[in-house]
Amino acid sequence: MNQLPELPERDLPPGRHRLLKEHLMTEIRQEPSEAPVRRRFLRTALVVGAVAAVTAVTVTLTVPSGQAERAATPDKRAGTNDAARLLEDIALAAEHAKAPADIRDDQFVYIKSKVGWTTQTNDEPAKLQPIHEREVWKSVDGRRKGLLDEPYQGFDDEPLDAELAGIPSNTNYRHLQTLPTDPEKMYAWLNRVSEGSNSKDEANFVLVGDLVRESLMPPPQAAALYRAAARISGVFVIDDAVDAAGRHGVAVARVDRGQRFELIFDKKTKEFLGEREVAVEDLPWGFKKGDITGRAAILERTVVDKAGQRP
């Protein structure tokens, strides 16, 4: 079995720990000292060799020099009470959502998205990836190998290792069904499980995003998660945010280390659309205030019978 190399544990958020376990080092972030430590930023690709040799490969970027994406909407914030009301509306919508019927352990959660994150090679200024498609197949019970198809990153039907049993932040459907359905207990679970980041509130908000991004949350647990998120300090509302597919929605957001991290929802249905990250000040690794530093959009989320199968 391939062995993972020793890696620094400094401020790795839970999503990064999970991705390392699931992807067997398929992708991992580079961490320059002045950059913030976040889940998907400053990445290099890693290729796992046949005899467990892991070789770093730098990411080639195609963002034109001097052309940065800018947030098209101003930073219009609503307060904490508005965030609590919005998250309650989102929780109610999640509570009444219908999960696919009769999900079997041998099936896979299929998620298609558009993404574009910040990358950095060596000591060069960080740059924003072009928006590109990503498809992932994740085992319902976490025991079977999944699949990743993200050609822009060089991943063509890349096998994903089965999840390691007993990891609290695992995102397979069967594990998510065991999470609390009571908001107070879910908040306690977030506090217990979240790790890394600059503060516990930041770590909790990152973990919420990790859970709703590339997984299928059962309705009772999803509702509890959003109600628990309302207890995270510093969360506010952005009235108009745009995901990687160009869809406008309303966002719950939080600012940390010079960036605003937005979880975007449909204004009417309150369905999760995607996320956006925006510099709120000039950043030391190259972005200016108002620049977009990451974006994603979930295009499809369903259950299929085997890895590689598309709906």
Side-chain angles (χ1 to χ4, degrees):
M1 180 177 177
N2 292 327
Q3 298 295 317
L4 297 181
E6 291 297 323
L7 291 168
E9 291 296 311
R10 177 172 60 87
D11 279 349
L12 285 177
R16 176 52 51 197
H17 287 299
R18 174 173 54 78
L19 287 173
L20 292 181
K21 296 178 180 72
E22 290 177 350
H23 295 189
L24 276 178
M25 302 294 291
T26 302
E27 49 181 325
I28 185 175
R29 180 192 58 240
Q30 247 185 352
E31 294 183 0
S33 59
E34 69 271 27
V37 181
R38 299 296 299 189
R39 56 187 174 275
R40 290 182 178 273
F41 300 126
L42 313 178
R43 299 186 300 181
T44 57
L46 292 180
V47 179
V48 180
V51 290
V54 182
T55 305
V57 180
T58 58
V59 177
T60 301
L61 298 164
T62 59
V63 179
S65 176
Q67 296 184 16
E69 289 189 40
R70 305 282 292 176
T73 55
D75 184 1
K76 293 182 178 179
R77 305 184 186 187
T80 303
N81 290 337
D82 292 306
R85 284 192 289 269
L86 174 60
L87 283 162
E88 177 59 26
D89 290 342
I90 294 169
L92 287 171
E95 203 167 40
H96 292 93
K98 291 184 178 180
D102 302 322
I103 298 177
R104 303 192 313 271
D105 287 350
D106 63 346
Q107 290 181 305
F108 290 82
V109 174
Y110 167 79
I111 298 173
K112 181 178 180 179
S113 60
K114 285 185 175 182
V115 301
W117 305 106
T118 292
T119 59
Q120 186 171 31
T121 302
N122 300 323
D123 294 326
E124 297 178 4
K127 295 182 180 180
L128 186 64
Q129 292 177 336
I131 294 172
H132 57 275
E133 285 195 354
R134 172 182 169 95
E135 294 174 288
V136 65
W137 290 261
K138 302 185 68 176
S139 170
V140 165
D141 65 1
R143 298 180 180 180
R144 294 159 177 81
K145 288 188 176 182
L147 204 64
L148 170 68
D149 190 44
E150 191 173 359
Y152 176 80
Q153 293 284 64
F155 304 139
D156 185 9
D157 294 335
E158 182 77 24
L160 302 180
D161 208 34
E163 287 188 328
L164 299 176
I167 305 299
S169 56
N170 279 346
T171 58
N172 69 77
Y173 187 76
R174 293 298 181 227
H175 174 70
L176 295 177
Q177 285 182 307
T178 70
L179 298 188
T181 58
D182 176 78
E184 185 174 344
K185 292 180 180 179
M186 178 65 83
Y187 183 67
W189 180 85
L190 288 173
N191 278 311
R192 185 172 66 254
V193 171
S194 67
E195 54 189 353
S197 299
N198 192 45
S199 68
K200 179 54 68 173
D201 287 318
E202 180 187 4
N204 286 347
F205 194 70
V206 168
L207 182 51
V208 170
D210 287 339
L211 289 170
V212 302
R213 184 186 307 107
E214 281 192 346
S215 65
L216 178 63
M217 285 291 292
Q221 283 77 14
L225 180 69
Y226 292 127
R227 290 179 173 123
R231 304 184 181 205
I232 298 174
S233 176
V235 176
F236 57 91
V237 173
I238 298 292
D239 290 330
D240 187 30
V242 185
D243 70 8
R247 299 174 297 190
H248 288 254
V250 61
V252 289
R254 199 172 183 280
V255 171
D256 270 297
R257 287 182 264 190
Q259 295 184 88
R260 185 174 72 243
F261 301 92
E262 305 170 354
L263 301 178
I264 306 171
F265 299 83
D266 185 277
K267 292 184 179 181
K268 292 183 178 180
T269 67
K270 302 301 186 290
E271 179 183 4
F272 179 70
L273 297 179
E275 54 196 300
R276 181 176 70 169
E277 293 153 356
V278 181
V280 297
E281 61 187 48
D282 292 349
L283 300 175
W285 57 96
F287 290 102
K288 300 298 182 182
K289 181 178 179 179
D291 286 351
I292 294 173
T293 59
R295 59 271 199 258
I298 303 300
L299 304 180
E300 193 164 5
R301 191 191 312 258
T302 190
V303 175
V304 296
D305 286 335
K306 60 183 180 179
Q309 178 182 351
R310 293 177 172 87

